[in-house]
Amino acid sequence: MAVKNVRRSNLTRSIKRVVVYAFCVTSILIGLISLVALLFDTFQDGLPWLSPRFLTSFWSRHPEEAGIVAALAGSIWIVGLTAAFSFPLGVSAALYLEEYASKNWFTSFIRLNIVNLAGVPSIVYGILGLGLFVEALALGRSLMAGALTMTLLILPTIIIASQEAIRSVPRAYREGAYALGATPWQVTRGVVLPQAFPGILTGTILALSRAIGEAAPLIVISGLVYVRFVPTGPLDSFTVMPLQIFNWVTLPQPEFRGLAAAGIIVLLTVLLSMNSIAIYIRNRYQKRAR
Amino acid sequence: MKRRTTILTIVIIAIIAVSLAYWYNTTATQKLSGTIEIDGSSTVFPITQAVAEEFQKTDPDVRVNIGVSGTGGGFKRFTAGDTDISDASRPIKASEAQIAEQNGIEYIEFEIALDGLAVVVNKGNTWVDYMTVQELNMTWKPNSTVYKWSDIRPEWPDQPIILYGPGMDSGTFDYFTEVIVGTVDSIRSTDEWTSSEDDNVLVQGVAGDSQALGYFGYAYYKENTDKLKIVPIDSGSGPVTPSDETVNSGQYTPLSRPLFIYVNKESLARDEVKAFVRFYMENALQLVAEVGYTPLPSSVYVENLSKL
C-alpha cells in the first residue's frame, strides 16, 4: 500500500515536472520565435538597401539615393546630451535618497513619486518639454530641448536602478569604513560608489537605450522629418531615426519601406553596440571592485 | 612617440581642413544662406521635399526644414509666426485666418498642384462598376443606414460593407466630408468604420478584405494598382475614372482637390525664402508629376510667380 502511494506520487511528480518544463520552454520559444521572425523580416527587406551610401547621404525623393545621416547624427547627439544631463543628476539623486536623506514621510513620498513617474507615458513628457523647454525657456525646437525632455523621461529609471545598486552594497562595508574614521563623503566615494557602479551603469544604459528608440516625445519637440544637414551645435534643429523610419513607412512608394527596414537595422546596431560597450565597462569595474 | 606623431598628423589635417572650408566659404560670398522652416500637410510633403532637394543642389547653404504635423497642425504653427511656409491640402479656415490676423501675420496663398482622391474596393470585388456621389453620400453621412452592399444597390450582394478612411486630423478627411457628406468633418459614427492616419494601413485593409470600401490620396492607389480596384465616380455626367487627364481637366469631380502652400509675407522679404518660392513655382510642373500628383496648367505657376 505504502509502496503504491509512493509510486503514484512519483508518477504525478514526474508528470508535473514535464508539464511545467514544457510550459516554460514554450514561453521562451514564443518570445524567441517572434523576435527571430521580426528580425528575419526586417533584414530581408532592409539588407539590400544597406550600404555606406545609405549611412552618409541625406534624404532624397529617389529611394536609391536616400540616406539616414541626418537622423543618425541627430540620434547620437540626443543620446550623448541626454547621457551628459541624466547620469550625474540621476546618480546624485539616488545617492541623496539612499545615503543622506533621513527616512521620514517626505522622502518616502518622493520615492513613491519617482516610481510613479517611471510609468508615465512618454508623450506626456513630450508635451511637458514643448511647454517648458521649447516655449518657456525659449530653447526652440533644438537638440537641447529634445535632450532635456529625454532626460526627464529617463531620470526616474536611472534613479531607481541606481538606488537598487547602492542599496545592494553590504551594510558592513560602510560600517567598516566609518569605524576607520571616514567621513560620509569618503564612504560614498571610496566604498559605496565603486561597489555600486556596475549596477548604476547597467541601469543608465538601459534607460539610454529607451531614449534612442523613443519617437513620441520627439514628434512633439522636433516634428521635422526632412533635414538636410548634420547638426553642429546643441541649438540646431534636428530629426532622429525613429521619426525618419516612421515617415518612410507612411510614404506610398514601397521602396521607402525597404529604406525604413534598413533604418531599423542601423538603429538596432547602434543600440546593440551601446549595450555591449556598457557590458564591457561593467565587467571591467566588477573585476576591479573585487 | 608613435602616438604623438599620430596626434600631430590629425591636428595638422584638421587645421588644413578648417582653413580650406573657411576659404571656400569666403570665396563664395554671393551664396544664399539661412534657414527656411516649413510644416504642414503630409500630402503636400513629397512635393515640397522634392523642391527643397533640388533647391539645395544649387544653394546648399540654405537649410530647409520640413515637418509633417498635418494641415491643421501646420497652420497652428504658421499663424503663430513659428514657420515661414505652411503646406496645406485645403484652403486656410476662417478661424485660422483670424488667429493669423490677431498675431499680425500676413500671408500669400499659392495653389501648387491637384490631388485626386481615389475610392477603392478589393481586387476580388466583382459587383461594383461605378458609384454615384449620391451613393457615397448615403454610405458615409451621419446616421447612415448602409450596413450591407445591398443597402446601396439592391442588386449588389447581401453582405456586410467594411469601410476604411483617413483619420479625422487629415486634410483628406476634411475634403472628403465637405464634398461628399456636404458638411466639413461630419461623418457616420466612428465605430462603424476603420480610420488610420497612415494611408498604407488603409491600402492593406482594403487589399485584404473582399467586402471593403475605402478612400485615400490617388498617389497611394497608383503605387498599388495590383492590389486594389478603383471605383469610377459619377457626379451626374457619367462615371469618370481618376487619372492625370481627368483630374487636370476637372472631369473627375468632386473628388479632386487643389493643394497649397502658404507663405508668410514677412519671411518673403528674406532673399532665401523668396528664392525658394520662386524656384518652387519654376519647377513645380515637372516635380509635381514626378512625385505622383497632377500639375496645374503652367499658366497658374506663371501667375503665382507674378505674386512674388
Side-chain angles (χ1 to χ4, degrees), chain B residues 4-294:
Chain B
R4 200 178 286 171
T5 1
T6 1
I7 293 175
L8 204 68
T9 330
I10 291 174
V11 168
I12 290 173
I13 291 176
I15 289 172
I16 294 174
V18 168
S19 39
L20 268 179
Y22 185 74
W23 171 78
Y24 177 77
N25 261 340
T26 44
T27 47
T29 41
Q30 288 307 304
K31 270 195 177 148
L32 291 170
S33 61
T35 306
I36 305 175
E37 292 288 344
I38 306 177
D39 203 344
S41 162
S42 59
T43 311
V44 184
F45 171 80
I47 305 175
T48 304
Q49 188 271 328
V51 173
E53 188 179 337
E54 290 305 312
F55 180 73
Q56 284 171 318
K57 278 181 188 162
T58 49
D59 283 289
D61 293 340
V62 179
R63 289 179 171 183
V64 184
N65 297 338
I66 313 175
V68 284
S69 305
T71 303
F75 274 135
K76 215 172 265 172
R77 292 187 62 192
F78 183 73
T79 54
D82 204 10
T83 51
D84 303 309
I85 299 176
S86 213
D87 290 340
S89 61
R90 57 162 169 77
I92 192 166
K93 286 180 185 166
S95 55
E96 291 161 343
Q98 205 182 345
I99 297 171
E101 207 185 316
Q102 280 165 10
N103 294 334
I105 307 286
E106 288 183 69
Y107 54 82
I108 309 179
E109 176 192 278
F110 296 94
E111 201 178 327
I112 49 146
L114 290 171
D115 178 30
L117 295 190
V119 176
V120 295
V121 292
N122 187 270
K123 221 25 185 188
N125 183 319
T126 50
W127 55 91
V128 172
D129 42 0
Y130 70 92
M131 284 180 86
T132 64
V133 172
Q134 174 57 32
E135 284 167 343
L136 282 175
N137 172 287
M138 244 168 76
T139 313
W140 287 97
K141 70 178 181 189
N143 306 318
S144 164
T145 52
V146 172
Y147 293 100
K148 293 175 190 161
W149 283 97
S150 55
D151 293 335
I152 303 178
R153 268 187 229 172
E155 66 263 34
W156 284 352
D158 186 22
Q159 283 167 350
I161 182 168
I162 316 289
L163 299 169
Y164 290 88
M168 306 180 95
D169 282 338
S170 77
T172 315
F173 173 82
D174 293 343
Y175 188 79
F176 186 84
T177 49
E178 185 184 341
V179 296
I180 295 296
V181 180
T183 327
V184 178
D185 295 356
S186 103
I187 194 131
R188 68 188 296 175
S189 167
T190 45
D191 46 15
E192 292 172 350
W193 55 284
T194 306
S195 78
S196 173
E197 297 297 335
D198 179 355
D199 287 350
N200 280 320
V201 173
L202 301 175
V203 170
Q204 294 301 327
V206 178
D209 189 337
S210 62
Q211 314 297 335
L213 173 77
Y215 70 92
F216 39 73
Y218 181 64
Y220 286 85
Y221 167 71
K222 236 190 212 169
E223 293 292 335
N224 295 285
T225 46
D226 52 330
K227 292 185 210 152
L228 303 166
K229 179 178 159 184
I230 192 130
V231 180
I233 301 300
D234 182 356
S235 61
S237 45
V240 179
T241 312
S243 68
D244 280 347
E245 293 77 48
T246 55
V247 169
N248 197 314
S249 68
Q251 278 171 283
Y252 185 65
T253 175
L255 285 178
S256 52
R257 57 170 171 173
L259 302 177
F260 304 92
I261 60 169
Y262 284 76
V263 184
N264 186 322
K265 262 192 185 167
E266 210 180 299
S267 307
L268 206 53
R270 280 161 33 210
D271 285 343
E272 68 274 16
V273 179
K274 192 163 203 158
F276 179 76
V277 178
R278 179 175 296 276
F279 188 89
Y280 207 125
M281 297 313 151
E282 283 167 354
N283 294 279
L285 201 60
Q286 181 216 334
L287 291 174
V288 163
E290 202 185 309
V291 295
Y293 295 95
T294 311

Side-chain angles (χ1 to χ4, degrees), chain A residues 124-137:
Chain A
V124 175
Y125 285 98
I127 293 165
L128 173 69
L130 182 67
L132 183 61
F133 300 125
V134 175
E135 278 155 21
L137 295 180

Side-chain angles (χ1 to χ4, degrees), chain A residues 240-263:
Chain A
V240 289
M241 284 194 278
L243 284 187
Q244 183 79 91
I245 293 166
F246 174 69
N247 191 255
W248 274 337
V249 173
T250 61
L251 289 175
Q253 292 81 5
E255 291 84 4
F256 283 107
R257 260 157 274 163
L259 284 179

